[in-house]
Amino acid sequence: MRKCLMIALLLYIGCGVSAQVKKQAVYLGFELTNPEFGSYFPLQLFNLKGMKSMKINSNENELFKDLRIEFNSKGQLIKAVGKRDSLIVTYKNNAPVKFTTKNQALEFRYSGDTVIVIEHQIMALYTLSGSVLLNTKTYTFKERDYTKIDSVLNNARIVEFKGDSIQLVDSQNNKLRYTTNSKNLVMPFIRTYNMGDQEQSYFIKDAYYNDPQGNLILDKTLSGGDRLHFLFTMKNGRPVSISTTRQFLSEDGHTIRKSTLSPEVPVISYEYFN
């Protein structure tokens, strides 16, 4: 096992690394460096063709802050600049190899359909299934010596079903860590995450669908019975504004007993390559 890990670490970009792995690695890095924002701003569902930059203009919205996201002529994310922090993405052979912020530096390496993410003395392995990268293993090491595993923080396996459904199951206790009815992100689809630990479960369910006008809806339901309802007003496959409603659900988990609409509606503007 250790020998395999060492070989994998030496492969920045191998001949077996697909374009899909490289593409999804960009979205993975964006979400890992923006854990909250990345979970409710689904960049991979937007049309990024020909885009030079997108700017989110928001004053006091509690979820969406001012942010400028920049792309190169290949449509790859290269920078995200906010008021307090910025993200720089470095590429090699058309694959992201480093995501750098003020307080974080993630190294990305590749082996086949697996993305290896390294931060300090932690290594996480993400395996591709369809259009989804799932965290199947996480290790800690002593003093960045990748031949000596200190502990195993996570060990999970992907279970694929007939059709488009998959699950990520903990190999130790068989707990469900993640499930979706569309590994290829075909609308409409649902993704459920277990954010709990080995003893307790805490589920977050994300439901993605289009309204009759073709706008994108994301319903993010928390275990406590609250739901965030995001309405992305779409034009040519790109969001131009975002409205957020906090919904309080009844015990049945479906009926809305109270809702509060955020007064601030972030507006998104774009620049394009000629």
Side-chain angles (χ1 to χ4, degrees), residues 14 20-21 34 82 111 128 142 190 224-225 245 255:
Q20 179 72 313
V21 170
N34 298 273
S111 179
L128 183 73
K142 292 183 178 179
I190 295 174
T245 304
T255 306

Side-chain angles (χ1 to χ4, degrees), residues 3-20:
K3 183 179 180 181
C4 292
L5 283 173
M6 280 299 296
I7 293 173
L9 283 168
L10 295 175
L11 295 174
Y12 271 91
I13 304 295
C15 58
V17 181
S18 68
Q20 179 72 313

Side-chain angles (χ1 to χ4, degrees), residues 40 57-65 227-231 241-248 258-267:
Y40 47 73
N57 301 283
S58 175
N59 294 323
E60 300 297 332
N61 188 279
E62 59 179 304
L63 298 177
F64 295 95
K65 296 178 173 60
R227 181 167 67 199
L228 292 173
H229 177 84
F230 299 99
L231 168 61
S241 67
I242 312 164
S243 65
T244 308
T245 304
R246 185 177 296 275
Q247 300 172 338
F248 302 90
K258 181 182 177 182
S259 64
T260 304
L261 177 66
S262 174
E264 172 67 25
V265 179
V267 176

Side-chain angles (χ1 to χ4, degrees), residues 95-192:
V97 294
K98 195 167 187 178
F99 291 78
T100 308
T101 67
K102 182 167 43 177
N103 299 313
Q104 199 173 14
L106 302 180
E107 295 180 36
F108 275 45
R109 304 184 185 185
Y110 302 83
S111 179
D113 63 353
T114 300
V115 180
I116 303 160
V117 181
I118 304 170
E119 183 178 18
H120 301 301
Q121 291 156 243
I122 297 178
M123 178 199 302
L125 276 60
Y126 291 82
T127 303
L128 183 73
S129 180
S131 299
V132 181
L133 282 167
L134 297 175
N135 182 201
T136 49
K137 291 178 175 57
T138 305
Y139 304 95
T140 62
F141 297 84
K142 292 183 178 179
E143 300 177 358
R144 290 180 67 94
D145 183 350
Y146 301 120
T147 64
K148 298 178 181 179
I149 297 176
D150 186 29
S151 63
V152 179
L153 300 181
N154 172 52
N155 186 12
R157 65 185 187 277
I158 297 174
V159 180
E160 296 192 357
F161 298 91
K162 185 177 180 180
D164 218 20
S165 299
I166 57 170
Q167 291 182 350
L168 183 68
V169 180
D170 192 299
S171 297
Q172 181 177 348
N173 56 22
N174 288 321
K175 270 193 172 184
L176 182 67
R177 310 307 304 178
Y178 171 92
T179 183
T180 181
N181 61 350
S182 181
K183 64 183 180 182
N184 291 302
L185 311 183
V186 178
M187 302 281 283
F189 66 93
I190 295 174
R191 300 195 291 188
T192 302

